[in-house]
Amino acid sequence: MKKIKSLVLNTLLFLHCLLAFMLLFETVVKIPFWVQPLGRMHPLILHFPVAFISLLVILNLLKKQLDAISFEKINLFLLFLTSLSTTIATLMGLLLSLEETGSELMILHKWIGISISFMIYGLVVFYKHKTFFKALLYLSFTSVIFAGHYGAGLTHGTNFITEPIISAYKPKQDLNSSVYNFFIQPILDKKCTSCHNDQKLKGNLNLSSLKAISEGGKNGPLWLAHQPEKSNFIERLNLPLEHKKHMPPNGKPQLTQKEIELIKVWIQQGVNDTISYHGLKKGDTLKNLITKKWLQKSKLKKTYNFSFASKESIDNLNSPFRNIKQEAPTSPAINVAIYGRSTFNTKSLTELSEIQEQITNLNLSKLPIQKKELEFVSTLKNLEKLVLNGSDIKSNDIKELAACTLLNSISLSNTNVDASILTTLEKLKNLKEVFVWNTSITPEEIAMLQKKLPNVNIIEGFVQDPNNELKLTPPILLSKGNIINTEDPILIGHKMKGVEIRYSLNKSAPDKNAPLLTKEIPLTLNGKNNRTIKTIAYKEGWKASKIQSFTFFSRGIVPSNFEVTYDGILSEYLGSASNILIDDYVLNHSRIDFSKYWAGFNKKPLIAIAEFEDNSTPIKEIVLSCGFKAHKAKKYPIKFAEIWTSNDKINWKLASKKTFQKLKVSKRKNISFKINSKDTHYIKIVVHATQGYTFFVNQVFFH
Amino acid sequence: MKHFYYTFLVLLSISSCQKNNNDYVKIPEKKVPKIVDYNFDVRPILSDKCFNCHGPDAKKRSADLRLDTSEGAYSKLKETPNKYAIVPNKPKESEVYNRIISKDTMQVMPPPDSHLSLSNYEKKIIKKWIEQGADYKTHWSFLPVSKPTLPNITSKNKINNEIDYFIIDKLNQLELEPNQKADKERLLKRVSFDITGLPPTIEMQNKFLTDTSPNAYEKIVEELLTSKHYGEKMASSWLDVARYADSHGYQDDDLRTMWPWRDWVIHAFNENYGYDKFVTWQLAGDLLPNKNLEALLATGFNRNNKINQEGGIIVEEFRIETLTDRTNTFGKAFLGLTLECAKCHDHKYDPISQKEYYSTFAFFEKTPYRAHAGGVAKTLAEKPFIDISSQLIKDSLPFLNKKSYENVKSMVMEERDEVRNTHLLERGAYDAKGEVVTHNLPKSILNFDKTKFSSNRLGMSKWLFDRQNPLTSRVYVNRIWQEFFGIGIVKTLGDFGMQGDLPTHVELLNWLSSDFIENGWNIKRLVKKIVTSATYKQATVISQEKMAIDPDNRYLSRMSRLRYSSEMIRDHVLASSGLLNTEIGGRSVKVYQPEGMWKATSSGRGLLSSYVQDHGSDLYKRGIYIFIKRTTLPPVQMFFDANTRDQCEVNRQSTMTPLQALIMLNDPTVLEAARVLSEKLVLKNSSPEKNIEIAFRKVLCRNIKPEEKTIFLDYYSKQEALFKSDPKRAEDFITIGEFPSKKDRDVIKVAALMQIIHTMYNMEETIIKS
Amino acid sequence: MDKEVFEHQININRRHFFKKAAMGMGGVALGSLMIPDLFTGSNKTAIQPTLGLKHFASKAKRIIMLTQNGAPSQLESFDYKPKLRDMFGQELPDSVRGEQRLTGMTANQKSYPLVGSKVDFKQYGKSGTYISDLFPNIAKITDDICVIKSMHTDAINHDPALTFLQTGSQVGSRPSMGSWLSYGLGSENKNLPAFCVLLSKGKGNGQGVYSKLWGNGFLDSTHQGVQLSASEDPILYLKNPKGMDADSRRKMLNHLGSLNELGLEEFGDPEIKAKIKQYEMAYRMQTAVPEITDVSKEPDHIKKMYGPDSMIPGTYAANCLLARKLSESGVRFVQLYHQGWDQHGNLVNEMGSQAKDVDQASAALITDLKQRGLLDETLVIWGGEFGRTNYCQGKLTKDNYGRDHHPRCYSLFMAGGGVKAGTSYGKTDELGYNIVENPVHIHDLQATIMHLMGLDHEKLTYKHLGRRFRLTDVHGHVVKGIIA
């Protein structure tokens, strides 16, 4: 006994030091995670001290009945047990309390608990002083009762014990009790009485009972019978949320439209505090309102009876090719979509077995899905929606799905399944919709399926109306540029596969019998400055396109060097005339304005010098493709244009000059100079704008 | 006695296990400090969770209770008399505390539907603060800047200049050791990019590596600071602040020519104008007593705002829009405050009233705006502007780099002679004119003493640079700091208010700021101070421990590994390959860009409806000169987190997306650089090994490691074999970019080496401050 | 609080013990639930988690938004006003106009003559909704769509209005709706961007678009809308350079990988890991995206459904087809813009050709989603930035006229994704100038769209410069009336 006694005393001292220490440094101390479980055993352990101390008390009450020695022994032993278990329980409690901020209740519980621990330690220490011992014992016992009660409050809610009694006092409400008691007071209790009750009378108003309400508040009566809009109550509710006088105050739970409406109507009907739902006449507005909006079961949101998959497994199963998402924090259902035909294999599916219970929505579009895969799918007992569009499934494989009894939607579009899937579909009792667009199932069969499965919506999808053919888009130019040398290959094609392009190079419009254009063809200009090719597109099941013609311009003689003294207005941003004038594009239809297609000149003239190293073929004609803002031009934008020729770039000879004053202004104009340029190496083009006007040049040709 | 011995054993085990176990370190219950400081511990909580409804904004105040002032918090509650929000020293009697710990959803604060809630730690803080007397203090950043004394550090060996004192001091508290000094090569790359935005040349590398003198580093820093490229580097972030762009913004988004202003900024940095002069000229250059053209050009700063050229705008609506932009820019750029929050209502967190907002607004009341509604084309600049001729440049703006024959127009500031009152605008709506207000600036920052400051933009700048102004220097110093360390001492560069992050080293910030002021707002000096600190010179290695304790490196126990800005990435690629056109200034250039980007978004109107790419040397100018069309940003800038230039921005994100990888892999700019560098090296016809070594030094700015060399050599031989077997492919691969290719180049070798160099450009370290 | 939440709490956060503590759902829980999203590489995720989960269960998973840029006239499309025809040429009563401000274009117009639709309307579907003859194909699917006739907005000019529609704010670069959803829900198919943008132009008077409309604002750039171009390089820089095939690209990435591994050994910086991942994803995109964007393999009946233009890249029809393919492959938000609806004059002709370009493909898209069983999980939105005036701008003639901007009322329609199909919501007065029933503000629309996607527009916030921002600013109410 001696040994035990000292051991116990030491342990007790140690434990209490620890206890004291932790109290002192409560805010600083970190509870390591491995200690937490201890803390959480508090609610378990605490039952021992409670039991022990009760025993101890009983024992001391029955002291007379026992012989002194054995009493002493038992008493001391029991006391040790009590004190040890108490301190341990307390310590654990303290650890636990560190995990949470103290609510009032908890703090109370905590301190009583601690004091008990010390009191009982006291019992051990002052064991010899009998009277003191007794007093302390009973004191601790009573504190235990309190501590216990508050403790229970923490885990079960404060009025856990008293609740049944309290609720028993509340009279049972039903549709025979007054509309006010059954519908309206509850609203007030929910949204108003926290600030307007017997204790707390904000605005001197109490909404806890009809009687109290009838007394009104500092702003007079709450509601006026038959005049909801004049009623203070409704007014306040309807004020904008930000408004100072709006009730309930911004930030507090607001009344719903449904609730406001009900109260309004009820006031409208004269604040009747006795009439019950059943009491109301048939067709009465209030009655209708209640039946419609309050009694009908609102579509309750789906709840699942299976548990949540762990975040870990969801994370682990997610991959770049497999997206796994829980439906929402409040829903354990999981949606799975798998992507990437090339990377897919059966394991991509079977790996999901650890979450097979949670999968409700599975998307396997465009994957090589076959029997083997569907066998796994059949193990997904909670599967509701399955998408197999464009996958490799066969009608036979579908049989596997019979096991997925909760399936309500299957998408089979773009697959080879046929009408034989009916046998499987019939087995799926929850089936609502099947998508069979672009499968081997014929319209007749669809009609048949629909008859066999009246509750299932079978979606056939888009059906092309055969006698309403669409017109093809015209052919397009695929080769680059519309300036060519004779015999240069040109390529005209179409974006749609399987289109036939027919063409003609003469006046006649191309038709079905016109020559076929399959690849690029060389275009002979036979001496002309330009040539036009007309094309049309045909395709089975489509109307022929409109005729599209393309004009190609002869590139003529290309200067070996081409420079301008001034690059044109805003050339820093729109590109230099030296490029624009000899690029390979002539624009047939584009807005004439400063742009990368048009070089513009006004104050400073266009002065371009073209060099021809090889002048064996003399240049007979020079063409400037010009454009003007014709609509607002009163004068002709070009004052004059000159062509100079030279052999040495120093001595220039005027070869041609044009003035335009008389001319009428058109949007576009090809200015042509006929010259005679025997053995000249340089040709200079000079164009001056009319004062206050701008002219644009798009291309220059030398023929 | 020996019982206590046990006790401590246990306590030891408790305290020790939190260090050992990493998971536990990551989610620590923050320790509640012994003395709770209002500014640093309490206000952030109140400000974030309470002031929205119980703050400065009188209109939105609930229950007529304000918690941002002691008066408000200590006085009787209006709605529940005989109760108090806060009773100093008595948390239990303070409603504030009772409400935040209440479990009753009707009682608890903040109310559930605010979706805000307090953590246990925050609750404990509030409690302790009340217990300690619930003492209110002025917000730290509104207190005048005073120079603190250096903390005393026993071990001086880790210290190079004042900065280090403060850093080391904090690190000691955190029981963290600073990293070793970075190796010379990496240090050189780092500092060279930080100061000039360009990589160090091989010559520079050799010089620095061989220079063993103690001040070798200082010499390099001096050299870099005198480089003309310093101005370009510093300018690039200022252009974000100034929302600079080459188009007007909004739908039609036509051409604008503000580049002369941009060139001035570069000039100003290179000339090392004091920050006070630099800013005063931009804010009020037109009002200076002694008029000068350069200062006038500088005022373009506040003409960089967007202009809506849409037909049928409501003139007044966009006049207000423009002035608002200038006011907000003032608040964000110079005061580092979210002034704009006070446009529609009193500021919810900071002591700035709506009235004060419009009093600030008043300073811009007569500044230029678009006075007509019709949609107009080709307005490169709206009045007033300087029409800059070549002559004018020769005479008074020599730093401008104009090539075209035409004059260039650059918009500037000028007071319109209109009689206008500034009205407070209800809800910030342009047509809801409220009371008339007069020139004034937020007094909580610094009282605008009309006897001292004139009531115009000049007075405004005087007020900014008054010794008593607590924000100007702090805000700028913090921004510069961020350019070098990645995160500001105050993380929220644009919010020094109560919602902003608190400084990690408030003393350091104060010291630098006052030092900055005392030395005439000398920017180069500040930069030098930073880059010569031991803190800056640390290596970037990250230990597990540092990762766990300070993942964001707020306390600088190492140098952060920061990704380059979009400009730096381009400049590095061009410079290292020798393609860079080092010419300073000039009109913005249009470099390689995928087909049709502008066409797709444009309405087809205006000069910028389709993209006309530049050619020749213009293709190789620095990133800062790339043409910025607001409605369609250059892709590289967009993907590498450059700002949209819609409004003043003081910070850039640094994110990581696959699109960035795609650019580095397939952008012709990078491929061309690789090709050109490869051609150069191959022509020297030395061994592949040698070529790889040189290329590596140019791109990574350090000597290649053996293990790296093995990888490259192996890759090279494979590539060479591949291209040999298929020369066509090699030919295709090296026909990239407009830069003329060397005659008689060895196609196979060039292609193979190009592949290697391109891989180097894609290495993580290449575009990182390592 | 329901059982699930409790269980759920337990399994996500074992540190809580008290039942009461287990009740507080919110940021914390969502945060800890975050599913790591490859599209966000850097450690920033730790600071601002891509929440990655719906706030509550809902049908819609993806959105396709068909923005008709320039503001199509509601009076020639979905808002039938016979009275206006009778009052042809009569002055707009001031009583009706009230305080409405006018644009700079008509502000100083002498008179405001009313003009009814030149185009006829007929009733369609079970609901007997009126739809104009300009939209025969959309009319055919009336029972699948929900027309809102009571939209209204704050802005009166294109740029601010469009910006308002897409970002919830008229000015400033706030995150676009798509960015918010990418931030809130993450991407479904991690080999594709979560937010794609497709642009096209009609023949009508155009109003440009701008990258700000699909910008990520202050959100992480990973939520930026990715613009797909009509060229053979659908995403910028997606294509390998000439002379480099997928195989040699793979080899390069392998070498690059081992080099970066060396860096990782030296510095131990987790960002290097992220970088390696980032390159791998880029590589996957290079194969995944072209597979989807290649429409040439589409069967003939698809081409007929969407119309012949669907084969010409960059047309509205082609973009609709592309939108379906992207959405089908798990792209969270596909945003289309179609220019050319700004009919200040010559409305009758221009609107005709605009409608022709748009009608068939829009209807086809919805039908196509439906026949694949994807319509209920895809929300389709069709509409512009504001409406047009009931009076004529410029010269009024018997058979032609123009209409100015009108922010006070306009129409748009939605389909799929949990929207009440075959209904119309809201009403305007008989002159089509003011809303008389169930107004829907832009912020309400945004709140509703988010709600349909399972997000609470008040909860999805982002703290930036000291303020919690959200798509709907501080406004917006979910329009319950249009939710099935």
Side-chain angles (χ1 to χ4, degrees), chain C residues 253-321:
Chain C
L253 291 181
N254 294 344
H255 287 90
L256 187 59
S258 36
L259 286 161
N260 286 336
E261 289 290 349
L262 290 176
L264 184 56
E265 277 167 38
E266 180 177 0
F267 296 107
D269 181 352
E271 292 271 316
I272 302 179
K273 273 206 213 79
K275 182 85 165 198
I276 296 171
K277 262 191 187 168
Q278 172 205 40
Y279 270 78
E280 286 309 314
M281 175 167 179
Y283 179 75
R284 287 199 307 274
M285 275 173 76
Q286 287 190 303
T287 48
V289 174
E291 267 173 28
I292 294 163
T293 50
D294 173 16
V295 293
S296 63
K297 290 187 194 61
E298 289 292 313
D300 227 38
H301 51 259
I302 286 292
K303 296 170 187 165
K304 285 180 173 160
M305 221 174 135
Y306 286 83
D309 285 353
S310 60
M311 289 300 106
I312 302 175
T315 60
Y316 181 78
N319 286 351
C320 281
L321 175 52

Side-chain angles (χ1 to χ4, degrees), chain A residues 175-313:
Chain A
L175 290 176
N176 292 316
S177 47
S178 74
V179 172
Y180 177 82
N181 286 335
F182 190 58
F183 292 103
I184 294 174
Q185 186 62 54
I187 299 176
L188 302 182
D189 292 341
K190 214 158 71 247
K191 308 273 172 88
C192 315
T193 48
S194 64
C195 301
H196 303 285
N197 55 40
D198 310 344
Q199 292 76 28
K200 199 163 169 198
L201 291 128
K202 284 202 176 187
N204 222 328
L205 182 64
N206 177 355
L207 298 181
S208 51
S209 74
L210 198 51
K211 182 172 169 305
I213 291 172
S214 58
E215 283 155 22
K218 75 164 183 266
N219 305 346
L222 192 67
W223 43 48
L224 308 167
H226 305 295
Q227 335 189 298
E229 45 295 310
K230 287 217 182 54
S231 298
N232 233 317
F233 186 74
I234 302 295
E235 243 172 63
R236 293 299 202 90
L237 290 178
N238 288 336
L239 287 170
L241 195 59
E242 297 71 26
H243 195 290
K244 281 210 170 323
K245 294 193 168 308
H246 174 87
M247 279 292 148
N250 192 357
K252 299 270 166 130
Q254 298 296 314
L255 275 77
T256 65
Q257 279 311 317
K258 188 173 145 203
E259 290 165 341
I260 297 177
E261 188 182 10
L262 178 73
I263 299 180
K264 252 181 166 165
V265 177
W266 178 75
I267 297 176
Q268 190 66 39
Q269 307 244 332
V271 199
N272 183 326
D273 57 341
T274 54
I275 186 78
S276 74
Y277 172 77
H278 289 319
L280 287 162
K281 280 182 241 59
K282 225 169 169 308
D284 173 285
T285 33
L286 184 56
K287 184 158 193 156
N288 289 347
L289 180 68
I290 295 176
T291 7
K292 225 163 85 264
K293 296 214 175 152
W294 291 77
L295 298 185
Q296 261 169 23
K297 275 238 181 319
S298 57
K299 296 189 232 95
L300 28 76
K301 73 164 164 57
K302 197 188 260 103
T303 54
Y304 295 100
N305 50 13
F306 48 85
S307 64
F308 283 77
S310 78
K311 178 177 176 298
E312 290 69 27
S313 44

Side-chain angles (χ1 to χ4, degrees), chain B residues 114-127:
Chain B
S114 70
H115 306 301
L116 299 170
S117 62
L118 269 62
S119 71
N120 298 345
Y121 169 78
E122 291 170 326
K123 291 173 186 169
K124 286 183 193 157
I125 285 284
I126 301 286
K127 181 161 187 253

